[in-house]
């Protein structure tokens, strides 16, 4: 048998190992599958299969399908399930404040770059826009409104989304002053009351 140190071992075939290359492969596969199938249609198994890894790697690296979506498409530094818990942790009459504060704080941390990148994705691909609509309205905001027990959940969710996205576009994309450079507390005081009405108040 040849024990020469120059002997080349055959390359392994099959699934990837669980390193950083696996994480990168999952992110790329997730972007493709979410766009092709939408948030609801994409499964952990289909994403893992596209990446050539075991489905358990999704939970290992991202915690859940929602967590993978947050990193791959939204580029958020936080798992959406954790974000929902934060939003619901407190008096219902202050949830408008918590939503504004959480989103502004998350996006401010990168100078609005993550939000701007998300908007560019929406404007360049209709499929991405549909995926984001599914996620923000159906998966995130509907969960919040269902917990609050408010009527007209679909309308409230879309009104809330319009406020969040409008706030982000003015602050991070168009950068209209003085709103673009206002401190977080000023933004919360200005936006939260209207958002609160969308969530729990009279919208008739």
């Amino acid at each position: 048998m040849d024990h020469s140190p120059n002997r080349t071992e055959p390359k392994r075939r099959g699934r990837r190992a669980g390193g950083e290359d696996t994480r990168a492969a999952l992110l790329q596969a997730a972007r493709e599958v979410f766009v092709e199938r939408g948030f609801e249609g994409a499964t952990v198994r289909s994403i893992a299969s596209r990446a050539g890894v075991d489905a358990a790697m999704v939970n290992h690296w991202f915690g859940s399908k929602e967590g993978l979506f947050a990193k791959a498409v939204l580029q958020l530094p936080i798992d959406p399930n954790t974000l929902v818990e934060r939003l619901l942790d407190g008096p219902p009459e202050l949830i408008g404040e918590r939503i504004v504060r959480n989103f502004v704080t998350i996006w401010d941390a990168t100078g609005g770059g993550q939000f701007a990148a998300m908007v560019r994705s929406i404007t360049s691909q209709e499929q991405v826009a549909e995926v984001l609509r599914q996620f923000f309205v159906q998966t995130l905001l509907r969960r919040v409104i269902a917990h609050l027990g408010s009527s007209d959940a679909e309308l409230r969710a879309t009104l809330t989304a319009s406020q969040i996205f409008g706030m982000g576009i003015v602050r991070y994309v168009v950068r209209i002053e003085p709103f673009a450079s206002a401190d977080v507390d000023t933004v919360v005081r200005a936006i939260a009351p209207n958002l609160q009405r969308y969530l729990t108040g009279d919208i008739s």
Side-chain angles (χ1 to χ4, degrees), residues 107-187:
W107 287 327
D108 272 7
T110 59
Q114 291 169 335
F115 181 86
M118 182 173 64
V119 170
R120 285 195 294 271
S121 296
I122 294 172
T123 56
S124 63
Q125 294 190 57
E126 174 58 28
Q127 298 98 317
V128 175
E130 177 58 29
V131 171
L132 289 171
R133 281 194 292 269
Q134 288 180 14
F135 179 80
F136 264 99
V137 176
Q138 301 298 330
T139 303
L140 198 155
L141 294 176
R142 284 293 297 272
R143 284 174 60 187
V144 170
I145 293 168
H147 181 85
L148 296 171
S150 300
S151 60
D152 300 312
E154 190 75 24
L155 177 58
R156 291 181 188 275
T158 54
L159 287 171
T160 302
S162 73
Q163 187 75 72
I164 294 171
F165 275 91
M167 175 182 69
I169 288 171
V170 171
R171 187 169 175 86
Y172 306 116
V173 180
V174 185
R175 296 182 180 276
I176 298 176
E177 296 292 356
F179 186 78
S181 58
D183 62 80
V184 175
D185 287 337
T186 298
V187 175

Side-chain angles (χ1 to χ4, degrees), residues 11-196:
K11 292 182 179 180
R12 293 182 180 179
R13 295 182 181 276
R15 293 188 179 275
R16 298 172 184 265
E20 283 290 340
D21 62 329
T22 296
R23 185 178 187 277
L26 280 169
L27 287 171
Q28 179 59 39
R31 293 185 189 104
E32 296 171 358
V33 176
F34 280 128
V35 168
E36 292 170 6
R37 306 185 184 183
F39 179 79
E40 297 298 331
T43 65
V44 167
R45 187 176 299 278
S46 64
I47 293 169
S49 177
R50 177 75 61 92
V53 305
D54 190 275
M57 287 294 100
V58 171
N59 287 335
H60 172 75
W61 283 105
F62 304 100
S64 62
K65 184 176 83 168
E66 290 83 2
L68 177 55
F69 182 82
K71 292 291 186 182
V73 180
L74 300 183
Q75 301 183 53
L76 290 178
I78 182 175
D79 184 283
N81 293 317
T82 302
L83 177 58
V84 170
E85 291 175 4
R86 284 187 185 181
L87 300 181
L88 296 177
D89 184 19
E93 63 271 18
L94 296 179
I95 192 168
E97 292 186 13
R98 293 195 297 275
I99 288 176
V100 177
R101 188 174 300 280
N102 272 276
F103 275 103
V104 172
T105 300
I106 288 170
W107 287 327
D108 272 7
T110 59
Q114 291 169 335
F115 181 86
M118 182 173 64
V119 170
R120 285 195 294 271
S121 296
I122 294 172
T123 56
S124 63
Q125 294 190 57
E126 174 58 28
Q127 298 98 317
V128 175
E130 177 58 29
V131 171
L132 289 171
R133 281 194 292 269
Q134 288 180 14
F135 179 80
F136 264 99
V137 176
Q138 301 298 330
T139 303
L140 198 155
L141 294 176
R142 284 293 297 272
R143 284 174 60 187
V144 170
I145 293 168
H147 181 85
L148 296 171
S150 300
S151 60
D152 300 312
E154 190 75 24
L155 177 58
R156 291 181 188 275
T158 54
L159 287 171
T160 302
S162 73
Q163 187 75 72
I164 294 171
F165 275 91
M167 175 182 69
I169 288 171
V170 171
R171 187 169 175 86
Y172 306 116
V173 180
V174 185
R175 296 182 180 276
I176 298 176
E177 296 292 356
F179 186 78
S181 58
D183 62 80
V184 175
D185 287 337
T186 298
V187 175
V188 170
R189 287 194 299 269
I191 302 296
N194 198 42
L195 198 59
Q196 186 71 43

